[in-house]
Amino acid sequence: MKRSRAGFAVVTVAVVSAMVGGLTGCARAEFTYVRHDDGQTYFKVPATWRKVDQAALDKATIGADPESATARLQKQLIWSAAYDAHSQPSPDHLLGYGTGDEPFVFARITKLLPEEQDSLSLNTMRNSVLPVTETVRKEYAKIPGYPLQDFELLADEVLRPGDGLRGVHVRFNYAIQGAGIETFDLTSYLAEDGKQISTLLIRCSAACYRKRAGEFEKIAQSFKVKRLTG
């Protein structure tokens, strides 16, 4: 399976200010638009947020030595990108460690193996990044030193945006040991052919999320998956 080295094509679009007194000026870029060419999945984040180093993100999320056979296979099946509002972006901020209460966005596109396609459910999408359903949470809780505690479900809806897509939107809290109570907002879509899941996860502290809910809602609503063609 071959993949483009370019990965996510990132384009920052300048916002042009309105005509005032016959003069036209260019405002600072408002958003960074992120689009994955193969899956035609895209979203936007504030232009001031910084992209997390890809090698560091891969190492943190794949959970294996980057040179191992397991990691190399995972990289053939998974694309990911993350954007961080912190001045020093880090994959550690995915769970809220050392963020200074700044938000973080993580996107992942996963090509499913045949056996995964056969067992796929809406709960698979709910658990696509962090454990959400009770059964999976109980399994993870058995891990010594597991840092996610006191799960709280805030919202859960099934999405049917058209073009054969189906998905879920889930918002939940976790008390993260060493970071405090963090709110996670997850949107996950299954492609029409059932072979690919596209997921966007937004994280900020519970207080931060309440304060900036409108901003995060715009990011979540910008997350789109077009029908695959060809």
Side-chain angles (χ1 to χ4, degrees):
M1 184 181 301
K2 295 184 179 179
R3 296 176 181 269
S4 167
R5 294 185 179 181
F8 278 87
V10 180
V11 181
T12 301
V13 181
V15 178
V16 181
S17 63
M19 296 285 290
V20 179
L23 298 177
T24 302
C26 291
R28 294 180 60 186
E30 185 177 1
F31 294 106
T32 295
Y33 291 83
V34 187
R35 182 170 69 90
H36 178 258
D37 291 332
D38 292 344
Q40 298 191 32
T41 300
Y42 57 93
F43 61 96
K44 67 181 182 181
V45 296
T48 55
W49 296 18
R50 295 171 171 84
K51 190 176 189 298
V52 176
D53 177 75
Q54 193 64 49
L57 182 65
D58 290 344
K59 184 176 181 180
T61 57
I62 292 176
D65 186 317
E67 297 304 317
S68 69
T70 298
R72 295 167 78 87
L73 174 61
Q74 288 295 307
K75 289 181 71 174
Q76 290 179 356
L77 299 174
I78 297 172
W79 287 104
S80 64
Y83 285 80
D84 195 344
H86 194 274
S87 59
Q88 297 180 322
S90 167
D92 292 340
H93 298 166
L94 175 62
L95 292 181
Y97 295 117
T99 64
D101 210 22
E102 296 289 355
F104 188 97
V105 168
F106 173 69
R108 182 164 65 190
I109 299 175
T110 304
K111 291 190 177 298
L112 302 172
L113 298 172
E115 58 269 25
E116 293 173 322
Q117 297 172 34
D118 292 340
S119 61
L120 190 70
S121 67
L122 293 177
N123 280 342
T124 305
M125 288 185 275
R126 291 183 175 96
N127 298 314
S128 57
V129 179
L130 295 174
V132 170
T133 61
E134 183 177 8
T135 301
V136 177
R137 295 201 317 270
K138 286 182 177 179
E139 288 300 313
Y140 274 86
K142 297 176 183 178
I143 301 173
Y146 186 63
L148 279 65
Q149 306 292 330
D150 302 328
F151 175 85
E152 296 177 310
L153 182 64
L154 304 178
D156 187 354
E157 61 179 321
V158 175
L159 305 175
R160 294 183 176 87
D163 279 347
L165 293 171
R166 61 188 177 105
V168 294
H169 175 227
V170 188
R171 189 179 308 115
F172 53 94
N173 285 345
Y174 263 119
I176 310 294
Q177 293 179 4
I181 299 178
E182 301 290 326
T183 297
F184 299 87
D185 187 295
L186 179 141
T187 304
S188 189
Y189 289 116
L190 176 67
E192 180 186 19
D193 61 6
K195 296 181 179 180
Q196 181 170 286
I197 291 180
S198 300
T199 301
L200 185 76
L201 182 72
I202 305 168
R203 185 223 42 86
C204 205
S205 73
C208 159
Y209 197 96
R210 289 192 298 269
K211 182 179 180 181
R212 303 173 65 172
E215 177 183 1
F216 300 148
E217 182 178 1
K218 290 180 181 179
I219 295 172
Q221 290 181 348
S222 76
F223 183 53
K224 306 292 183 184
V225 180
K226 294 182 178 180
R227 180 192 292 271
L228 295 173
T229 58

